[in-house]
Amino acid sequence: MPDGYDLEDEALRRLPAGVALTWGLAKQGKRGPKGELSIKQIVDAAVAIADADGLQAVSMSRVAQSLGYTTMSLYRYITSKDDLLLLMQEAVSEIAIPPEDPDQHWRDGLRAYVEACVGVFVQHPWYGDIPVSGVPVTPNVLRLIDWVIRTLRPLELDDYEKMSVLLLLSSYSRSVGLIRRDMEIAFRAGGTPEDFAGLSMSPALKKLVTPERFPDLYPIVMSGIYGGEREAESTVGDDLAFGLERILDGIEQYLERRRQAPTGGAAERGEG
C-alpha cells in the first residue's frame, strides 16, 4: 500500500476495484501455487496479446494461458475483464512527460502533448477500441492532464477554460490517432499512401462528381487535391498537422480577444 493514504477514508474505500488497483489501493489476491504472479505481469501479458491480435483476442483465459496459469488464478488479482481493460489503458498511458521548461512556448508544449497521445493510438491500435466511459481518474492519465494544465499555466485562462482547451486537444488527438492507426493498419495489409489518399479512385471520381450535383466539391475533385494527385503539396500527415495549428491559432486569438474584452467571465468567453 502506498504511504499517505487513509484507507479508512470512505471516498477511497468506495473506488471501483479497477481504479483502486491503478492507485495501488487494493490488496493483491492470494498468490497462486507458483507464488510469482503479479498484476503487472497480467497486464503486460494482456497488452502484448492486444498489440499482436487486437482487443477481441484478450480474455482472462487467454491471458492466463500465456502466463502458464489457470484462469481462476488471475481472478485472485483482477476480478473482472473490465478492470483488466482499465489497467491496460492505464499501463500504455505511462508516457515520459518532459520536465518543465520555462522558455518553452505554450504552443510547443501542446504540440508535444498531442503527438504523445497520437502515438499511443498508433503503437497500441486496440486503445481506441475501448469506449470512453467517463472522466479520467487513473494516475497515469491524470499525469497527462496535469502536463497540459502546466503548459497552460502562463496563459490568462480560468479553470473552466483550461479544461475546455484540454478537452478540445484530447478530442483532436483521439481523432488523429484513430486515422493514423487506420493508416498503419492499411499499410501493413499491403496498402500504400497513394491508396489511402484515394489516388486510384481519382479518375472515376472526376467522372462521377458533376458540377450539377456537387457544385462546390467539383472544382476540388477536378484539381486533383481530393483524390491525392497533388500529395506533393499536401500529404495526409500535413493535413492533420494543419488542423492542430488552426486549433492553436484559435486559442491564441481567443486569448487576445479576452485581453481586449471588458472584465467578466461571460463576456470574455463570448457567451451571452
Side-chain angles (χ1 to χ4, degrees):
M1 293 288 182
D3 295 330
Y5 293 113
D6 178 8
L7 297 186
E8 296 303 314
D9 187 296
E10 183 64 20
L12 296 182
R13 291 176 60 187
R14 294 181 63 180
L15 284 173
V19 174
L21 284 172
T22 67
W23 287 95
L25 297 177
K27 294 180 179 179
Q28 291 197 18
K30 296 178 180 178
R31 294 184 175 185
K34 296 182 181 180
E36 296 178 354
L37 195 58
S38 69
I39 291 175
K40 185 179 186 307
Q41 283 178 296
I42 296 169
V43 174
D44 288 349
V47 168
I49 291 169
D51 286 348
D53 299 324
L55 194 64
Q56 72 283 352
V58 177
S59 66
M60 298 295 273
S61 59
R62 172 82 181 271
V63 174
Q65 183 181 22
S66 73
L67 292 168
Y69 284 80
T70 65
T71 304
M72 288 307 299
S73 297
L74 264 62
Y75 284 108
R76 296 189 182 101
Y77 299 82
I78 301 174
T79 58
S80 72
K81 183 178 176 181
D82 286 343
D83 288 347
L84 176 60
L85 294 178
L86 178 67
L87 290 164
M88 291 167 62
Q89 285 182 297
E90 172 69 359
V92 302
S93 297
E94 188 175 359
I95 295 170
I97 295 175
E100 184 172 2
D101 179 0
D103 296 324
Q104 183 185 56
H105 195 281
W106 62 266
R107 290 179 68 123
D108 293 330
L110 296 183
R111 285 190 198 101
Y113 166 75
V114 170
E115 182 179 348
C117 292
V118 169
V120 174
F121 287 92
V122 175
Q123 294 162 20
H124 304 284
W126 51 269
Y127 189 88
D129 294 334
I130 300 178
V132 176
S133 59
V135 63
V137 292
T138 57
N140 284 337
V141 180
L142 290 177
R143 286 178 66 247
L144 293 174
I145 293 174
D146 188 72
W147 177 17
V148 176
I149 303 303
R150 182 190 81 188
T151 304
L152 297 174
R153 188 194 304 152
L155 306 185
E156 295 179 6
L157 297 170
D158 62 29
D159 292 344
Y160 171 85
E161 291 163 329
K162 289 176 183 177
M163 293 305 297
S164 296
V165 169
L166 169 69
L167 178 59
L168 175 61
L169 291 171
S170 299
S171 300
Y172 186 75
S173 300
R174 183 178 182 86
S175 176
V176 171
L178 290 173
I179 292 171
R180 289 193 175 163
R181 175 199 72 174
D182 292 347
M183 287 172 60
E184 292 294 326
I185 292 172
F187 297 161
R188 286 197 294 270
T192 66
E194 292 75 20
D195 292 334
F196 199 88
L199 185 61
S200 62
M201 298 293 177
S202 190
L205 284 175
K206 287 181 176 180
K207 296 181 182 299
L208 295 169
V209 176
T210 64
E212 295 78 20
R213 190 172 183 183
F214 305 98
D216 294 295
L217 178 60
Y218 174 78
I220 296 177
V221 170
M222 296 306 292
S223 73
I225 290 178
Y226 188 86
E229 294 178 53
R230 295 171 61 181
E231 279 306 285
E233 298 179 24
S234 177
T235 65
V236 173
D238 288 340
D239 289 342
L240 300 177
F242 178 88
L244 175 58
E245 293 308 308
R246 301 298 71 77
I247 289 173
L248 299 179
D249 287 346
I251 295 170
E252 198 152 14
Q253 291 176 17
Y254 176 74
L255 289 166
E256 181 60 27
R257 190 177 70 187
R258 277 204 69 188
R259 282 191 288 268
Q260 297 177 2
T263 57
E268 291 173 349
R269 289 197 292 265
E271 299 171 3

